[in-house]
Amino acid sequence: MTTPLESPRRDAVPVELVVLDMAGTTVLDDGVVESAFQRAAERTGVADRMPWGEALAYVRDTMGQSKIDVFTHLAGGDRSAAERATAAFEGAYAEIVAEQGVTPIAGAADAIQGLKDAGLAVVLTTGFAPVTRDALIDGLGWRGLIDLALSPVDAGRGRPAPDLVLTALLRTGASSVSAVAVAGDTVSDVESGRRAGAGFVAGVLTGAHDRTALTAAGADAVLPDVTALLASLAENDLLRLVAATP
């Protein structure tokens, strides 16, 4: 259960667009990101300048952010090394997906369809490169389910910057940032939504970060998973116009 906002944001502007994170929010991660990072680090030495535990902790703390930005930090600012590590990470992720397949968060596809049935546009966002993002979407068979999918290269900057959310708004033609809802499993997802000025930002507990971290980042609601999002929007009176449509 979620608690409706005590004071709905911006006079409860009805939502038109929902921006959803991928890994950990709509796509089951199950340690794949960490495994891909470990393979990339072993193949490139990008994290050799610091203890392994420190590097892994940084990867966990920055889940949801652009991978090139994460690797640039690990490489001590060496952009060339970061680019090599990012390419190795994307290759490793593809290997693991090929080995294990790709699995959605339970109920995610139905949740997305429910949002679509309510008249909302749905955009998926990720810190992955387009090649990995598209492989995941194709593996899930979601190409016809969503309106759009965006990676940092499509928007300018990755999370926690607002660019992915704002690009989703521009690409879909939503009327205002107040009419955008954002949901994700990381602090970076929540911060991105807040910085963009989204009318509703939710955290979900199926991925990297816990309730305390998501709430501290500014989430309006923390949900057990993405399947609870539509009900949370309704509880907060954010589906008024959709409900009034014949």
Side-chain angles (χ1 to χ4, degrees):
M1 287 293 294
T2 63
T3 302
L5 300 178
E6 293 181 5
S7 300
R9 292 180 179 274
R10 306 177 188 276
D11 297 321
V13 172
V15 169
E16 302 168 16
L17 165 65
V18 178
V19 178
L20 300 174
D21 170 57
M22 292 186 66
T25 301
T26 54
V27 181
L28 185 66
D29 175 40
D30 200 23
V32 175
V33 169
E34 289 188 16
S35 295
F37 163 67
Q38 183 169 358
R39 292 189 188 187
E42 290 171 350
R43 293 169 185 176
T44 65
V46 69
D48 287 352
R49 72 183 188 90
M50 63 178 67
W52 173 252
E54 182 180 334
L56 186 58
Y58 184 78
V59 168
R60 289 170 175 164
D61 290 343
T62 57
M63 285 288 188
Q65 295 186 19
S66 170
K67 297 301 175 280
I68 185 66
D69 293 339
V70 174
F71 282 118
T72 297
H73 172 85
L74 293 175
D78 185 335
R79 192 73 173 184
S80 294
E83 289 173 352
R84 291 193 297 272
T86 300
F89 171 86
E90 299 290 349
Y93 196 97
E95 290 171 3
I96 296 169
V97 167
E99 293 164 5
Q100 303 178 6
V102 56
T103 305
I105 293 291
D110 288 341
I112 293 172
Q113 187 61 60
L115 294 166
K116 298 288 294 180
D117 291 344
L120 309 179
V122 177
V123 173
L124 298 183
T125 60
T126 181
F128 295 143
V131 63
T132 303
R133 176 200 71 203
D134 291 345
L136 290 173
I137 292 171
D138 289 340
L140 293 165
W142 285 3
R143 186 68 60 182
L145 181 63
I146 60 173
D147 291 274
L148 183 66
L150 297 170
S151 295
V153 69
D154 302 310
R157 296 173 296 176
R159 297 176 295 232
D163 301 32
L164 284 165
V165 176
L166 296 176
T167 300
L169 180 152
L170 292 171
R171 295 276 189 93
T172 60
S175 63
S176 70
V177 289
S178 302
V180 179
V182 174
D185 66 293
T186 70
V187 165
S188 293
D189 294 315
V190 174
E191 290 180 346
S192 178
R194 287 273 76 93
R195 293 179 187 186
F200 186 79
V201 180
V204 296
L205 296 174
T206 48
H209 296 151
D210 62 17
R211 180 180 300 276
T212 299
L214 295 169
T215 300
D220 294 313
V222 177
L223 311 175
D225 55 49
V226 71
T227 67
L229 180 59
L230 184 62
S232 186
L233 294 175
E235 288 172 5
N236 287 287
D237 198 24
L238 296 174
L239 298 176
R240 288 197 309 260
L241 293 186
V242 174
T245 301

